[in-house]
Short mmCIF file of all heavy atoms in Angstrom, two decimals:
data_model
loop_
_atom_site.label_atom_id
_atom_site.label_comp_id
_atom_site.label_asym_id
_atom_site.label_seq_id
_atom_site.Cartn_x
_atom_site.Cartn_y
_atom_site.Cartn_z
N VAL A 17 -7.65 -62.45 -12.80
CA VAL A 17 -7.97 -61.33 -13.38
C VAL A 17 -7.23 -60.07 -12.89
O VAL A 17 -7.27 -59.84 -11.65
CB VAL A 17 -9.50 -60.98 -13.35
CG1 VAL A 17 -9.99 -59.81 -14.15
CG2 VAL A 17 -10.33 -62.20 -13.85
N HIS A 26 -1.64 -52.24 -17.19
CA HIS A 26 -1.41 -50.89 -18.00
C HIS A 26 -0.77 -51.37 -19.27
O HIS A 26 0.17 -52.15 -19.24
CB HIS A 26 -0.59 -50.10 -17.05
CG HIS A 26 -0.68 -48.62 -17.52
ND1 HIS A 26 0.14 -48.11 -18.74
CD2 HIS A 26 -1.41 -47.57 -17.25
CE1 HIS A 26 -0.08 -46.85 -18.90
NE2 HIS A 26 -1.04 -46.45 -18.06
N HIS A 28 1.45 -49.67 -20.65
CA HIS A 28 2.95 -49.42 -20.55
C HIS A 28 3.57 -49.83 -19.19
O HIS A 28 4.14 -48.98 -18.51
CB HIS A 28 3.19 -47.86 -20.77
CG HIS A 28 2.62 -47.33 -22.02
ND1 HIS A 28 3.21 -47.71 -23.27
CD2 HIS A 28 1.59 -46.49 -22.34
CE1 HIS A 28 2.42 -47.15 -24.27
NE2 HIS A 28 1.52 -46.46 -23.64
N SER A 93 -1.45 -29.20 -9.00
CA SER A 93 -0.80 -28.14 -8.05
C SER A 93 -0.87 -28.73 -6.66
O SER A 93 0.12 -28.49 -6.03
CB SER A 93 -1.65 -26.85 -8.14
OG SER A 93 -2.98 -27.10 -7.76
N THR A 113 10.86 -20.47 -9.95
CA THR A 113 10.07 -21.74 -9.91
C THR A 113 10.01 -22.27 -11.31
O THR A 113 10.21 -23.42 -11.57
CB THR A 113 8.72 -21.46 -9.43
OG1 THR A 113 8.77 -20.86 -8.04
CG2 THR A 113 7.86 -22.76 -9.43
N ALA A 133 10.53 -48.38 -21.58
CA ALA A 133 10.67 -49.83 -22.10
C ALA A 133 10.69 -49.77 -23.53
O ALA A 133 10.32 -48.66 -24.18
CB ALA A 133 9.59 -50.68 -21.57
N ALA A 190 1.44 -0.22 14.60
CA ALA A 190 1.12 0.31 13.29
C ALA A 190 2.24 0.54 12.48
O ALA A 190 2.37 0.41 11.27
CB ALA A 190 0.27 1.66 13.47
N HIS A 204 8.72 13.37 5.70
CA HIS A 204 7.51 14.27 5.57
C HIS A 204 6.26 13.42 5.25
O HIS A 204 6.23 12.57 4.33
CB HIS A 204 7.77 15.33 4.56
CG HIS A 204 9.00 16.04 4.65
ND1 HIS A 204 9.20 16.99 5.72
CD2 HIS A 204 10.00 16.17 3.82
CE1 HIS A 204 10.35 17.60 5.64
NE2 HIS A 204 10.94 17.05 4.54
N ALA A 212 -14.98 9.23 -1.27
CA ALA A 212 -14.57 8.13 -2.05
C ALA A 212 -15.58 7.95 -3.17
O ALA A 212 -16.81 8.18 -2.95
CB ALA A 212 -14.57 6.81 -1.28
N VAL A 239 -10.38 2.98 1.81
CA VAL A 239 -11.67 3.65 1.69
C VAL A 239 -12.34 3.24 3.04
O VAL A 239 -12.62 2.01 3.30
CB VAL A 239 -12.58 3.15 0.48
CG1 VAL A 239 -13.87 3.58 0.65
CG2 VAL A 239 -11.86 3.56 -0.77
N LEU A 240 -12.63 4.24 3.83
CA LEU A 240 -13.32 3.95 5.26
C LEU A 240 -14.71 4.65 5.11
O LEU A 240 -14.87 5.88 5.14
CB LEU A 240 -12.58 4.67 6.36
CG LEU A 240 -11.09 4.08 6.52
CD1 LEU A 240 -10.38 4.74 7.61
CD2 LEU A 240 -11.07 2.55 6.63
N THR A 257 1.15 17.68 -3.16
CA THR A 257 0.82 16.20 -2.88
C THR A 257 -0.60 15.91 -3.19
O THR A 257 -1.05 14.95 -3.82
CB THR A 257 1.14 15.92 -1.34
OG1 THR A 257 2.47 16.17 -1.10
CG2 THR A 257 0.73 14.48 -1.05
N ALA A 266 -13.76 11.41 -5.46
CA ALA A 266 -15.04 11.81 -5.95
C ALA A 266 -15.26 13.27 -5.95
O ALA A 266 -14.40 13.99 -5.34
CB ALA A 266 -16.20 11.13 -5.24
N ALA A 267 -16.30 13.76 -6.58
CA ALA A 267 -16.45 15.28 -6.67
C ALA A 267 -16.65 15.74 -5.09
O ALA A 267 -17.23 15.02 -4.39
CB ALA A 267 -17.74 15.61 -7.55
N VAL A 328 -5.37 31.02 18.39
CA VAL A 328 -4.90 31.92 19.52
C VAL A 328 -3.31 31.86 19.68
O VAL A 328 -2.75 32.95 19.81
CB VAL A 328 -5.55 31.35 20.88
CG1 VAL A 328 -4.98 32.15 22.00
CG2 VAL A 328 -7.03 31.56 20.74
N GLY A 339 3.50 43.68 21.21
CA GLY A 339 3.03 45.06 21.59
C GLY A 339 1.60 45.33 21.36
O GLY A 339 1.11 44.92 20.32
N THR A 345 -4.09 48.37 16.46
CA THR A 345 -4.20 48.83 15.05
C THR A 345 -4.91 47.73 14.09
O THR A 345 -5.76 48.18 13.40
CB THR A 345 -2.77 49.02 14.34
OG1 THR A 345 -2.12 50.01 15.14
CG2 THR A 345 -2.85 49.44 12.97
N ARG A 371 -0.10 51.62 7.91
CA ARG A 371 0.43 50.78 6.84
C ARG A 371 1.60 49.99 7.38
O ARG A 371 1.66 48.82 7.17
CB ARG A 371 0.78 51.62 5.56
CG ARG A 371 1.16 50.76 4.37
CD ARG A 371 1.48 51.61 3.14
NE ARG A 371 0.26 52.22 2.67
CZ ARG A 371 -0.09 53.41 2.73
NH1 ARG A 371 0.68 54.36 3.33
NH2 ARG A 371 -1.24 53.90 2.19
N VAL A 380 4.60 39.02 11.57
CA VAL A 380 4.38 38.31 12.82
C VAL A 380 3.45 37.19 12.74
O VAL A 380 3.83 36.03 13.29
CB VAL A 380 3.91 39.22 13.99
CG1 VAL A 380 3.43 38.47 15.13
CG2 VAL A 380 4.85 40.33 14.37
N GLU A 407 -11.67 34.23 29.91
CA GLU A 407 -11.84 32.99 30.70
C GLU A 407 -10.81 32.90 31.70
O GLU A 407 -11.08 32.40 32.85
CB GLU A 407 -11.89 31.83 29.73
CG GLU A 407 -13.15 31.81 28.79
CD GLU A 407 -13.14 30.65 27.90
OE1 GLU A 407 -12.05 29.90 27.94
OE2 GLU A 407 -14.01 30.52 27.07
#
Side-chain angles (χ1 to χ4, degrees):
V17 179
H26 198 278
H28 303 293
S93 62
T113 304
H204 307 292
V239 176
L240 302 180
T257 299
V328 172
T345 300
R371 187 177 289 109
V380 170
E407 290 175 2

